[in-house]
Amino acid sequence: MTPRVARVLRRRREGPAIWTLEIESEATHAFAPGQFNMLTAFGVGEAAISLSGDPGKSGLLIHTIRVVGPVSAALAGVRPGDAIGLRGPFGAGWPMTAAEGRDVIVVAGGLGLAPLRPALHRLLAERSRYGKIVLLYGARSPRDILFRRELESWRRRLDIDIEVTVDHADSDWRGHVGVVTTFIARAAFDPFHAIALVCGPEVMMRFAIAALRDAGVADKTIYLSMERNMKCAIGFCGHCQFGTVFVCRDGPVFRYDRVRAMLALKEL
Ligand SMILES: Cc1cc2nc3c(=O)[nH]c(=O)nc-3n(C[C@H](O)[C@H](O)[C@H](O)COP(=O)(O)OP(=O)(O)OC[C@H]3O[C@@H](n4cnc5c(N)ncnc54)[C@H](O)[C@@H]3O)c2cc1C
Ligand code: FES
């Protein structure tokens, strides 16, 4: 439960009120795509924040933070050289082994791209293990698009299909406008041999799941990352508990058919 002290190396503005922190780590801090750390802003508090960097570079921990309240504001406001507290990594991540040999459809909304980014790095680093890879990403507006340069470089590859859409365009935007879930029906993948990784606001995940099921993807091959308020992150305090499930320990990534009922609840 005791956080260790970690040093912030860099801070980058990602979008309105969204910042990415690069944090120095012990070389041993390996993590699985989809896991999270508990980050402490000293004197303010602690928050669960997903790892958003490349799992192949475990010496550097990357977190992308949206300012919504006191802890996220303090974490996003740190400067290079500042110290923060860190516990983790925690939780069950994306099913990278189960995805092998299958088409992989990744559906992300807003900040939901952050926990999916390590999975995308892994998929592309081990490209030959997977079938088609499709990334569908929706942001509120062009200036809300995360990891823009990386998306551009991935777009130049021929072995991943990427569609980016915004809810509201500006005059410079030449891309798609509309909700990301409508792109699922048009995406080129084999629904009977696919695995879907979904992360975003819960309403977006509900629509994404409905569209995936309509397309023929089985419930047991749809995975989503759930966010619930967390305190201990080790299955001890019960804050994130739903029936026999602890989101911190058994999730945050779950197979859809196992958490259907939980998805209907706004907060525990
Ligand atoms: C597994 C997991 C991974 C997460 N990954 C990220 C991440 O990568 N980047 C990021 O910016 N945030 C992430 N979060 C959410 C983050 O933990 C909260 O935004 C943070 O704790 C808010 O603390 P605060 O003091 O800034 O705001 P608070 O004052 O605590 O909350 C501000 C508002 O946000 C709501 N809120 C707080 N925590 C949550 C939550 N967990 N789920 C839904 N609503 C919440 C509150 O109800 C309130 O309306 C993650 C949460 C979980 C559980
Ligand atoms: S946060 Fe304490 S049990 Fe999950």
Side-chain angles (χ1 to χ4, degrees):
M1 286 291 286
T2 311
R4 57 185 181 280
V5 176
R7 198 65 58 188
V8 175
L9 295 177
R10 270 177 288 277
R11 184 180 82 130
R12 189 175 64 244
R13 190 169 185 274
E14 211 65 67
I18 301 183
W19 297 84
T20 288
L21 301 184
E22 290 184 16
I23 300 163
E24 189 178 44
S25 157
E26 301 150 12
T28 51
H29 196 110
F31 67 93
Q35 285 193 303
F36 66 96
N37 279 325
M38 296 299 288
L39 301 186
T40 307
F42 292 117
V44 186
E46 195 179 40
I49 305 290
S50 304
L51 285 137
S52 64
D54 181 350
K57 295 181 185 160
S58 61
L60 190 65
L61 296 179
I62 301 191
H63 291 277
T64 302
I65 301 168
R66 170 181 283 139
V67 176
V68 294
V71 179
S72 49
L75 288 170
V78 294
R79 294 278 184 267
D82 285 353
I84 62 168
L86 187 148
R87 295 191 289 131
F90 295 117
W94 300 108
M96 305 311 297
T97 307
E100 288 184 15
R102 292 174 173 269
D103 289 357
V104 185
I105 175 155
V106 178
V107 189
L111 191 62
L113 184 59
L116 282 164
R117 186 175 175 230
L120 287 158
H121 273 283
R122 175 67 56 78
L123 291 169
L124 293 174
E126 298 176 350
R127 185 65 192 85
S128 59
R129 296 190 185 196
Y130 306 97
K132 283 186 182 157
I133 300 176
V134 178
L135 167 62
L136 307 178
Y137 173 46
R140 259 184 234 158
S141 72
R143 63 192 197 124
D144 293 296
I145 295 171
L146 302 180
F147 317 124
R148 196 182 265 267
R149 256 199 241 157
E150 190 168 60
L151 287 173
E152 285 309 320
S153 75
W154 286 346
R155 262 182 197 285
R156 288 193 285 274
R157 296 177 63 130
L158 299 175
D159 54 2
I160 176 169
D161 291 345
I162 300 185
E163 298 293 353
V164 178
T165 180
V166 297
D167 297 340
H168 309 287
D170 58 23
S171 53
D172 296 329
W173 179 248
R174 298 282 171 270
H176 299 298
V177 179
V179 288
V180 66
T181 50
T182 57
F183 288 82
I184 292 170
R186 295 182 235 163
F189 67 101
D190 177 354
F192 304 107
H193 296 100
I195 201 161
L197 316 182
V198 183
C199 189
E202 286 202 6
V203 62
M204 168 261 166
M205 293 204 287
R206 277 189 222 120
F207 278 103
I209 289 162
L212 287 163
R213 298 175 87 206
D214 285 349
V217 182
D219 288 1
K220 63 178 194 258
T221 57
I222 300 174
Y223 288 79
L224 50 146
S225 184
M226 305 290 295
E227 265 197 25
R228 290 293 184 268
N229 272 327
M230 285 186 189
K231 290 286 176 217
C232 72
I234 52 172
F236 186 69
C237 73
H239 254 84
C240 68
Q241 190 173 3
F242 175 76
T244 56
V245 170
F246 290 83
V247 176
C248 65
R249 190 193 60 196
D250 306 320
V253 175
F254 290 98
R255 221 171 80 177
Y256 169 60
D257 57 338
R258 294 185 176 149
V259 290
R260 216 180 269 124
M262 199 196 308
L263 196 61
L265 294 181
K266 176 76 190 130
E267 191 47 276
L268 302 180

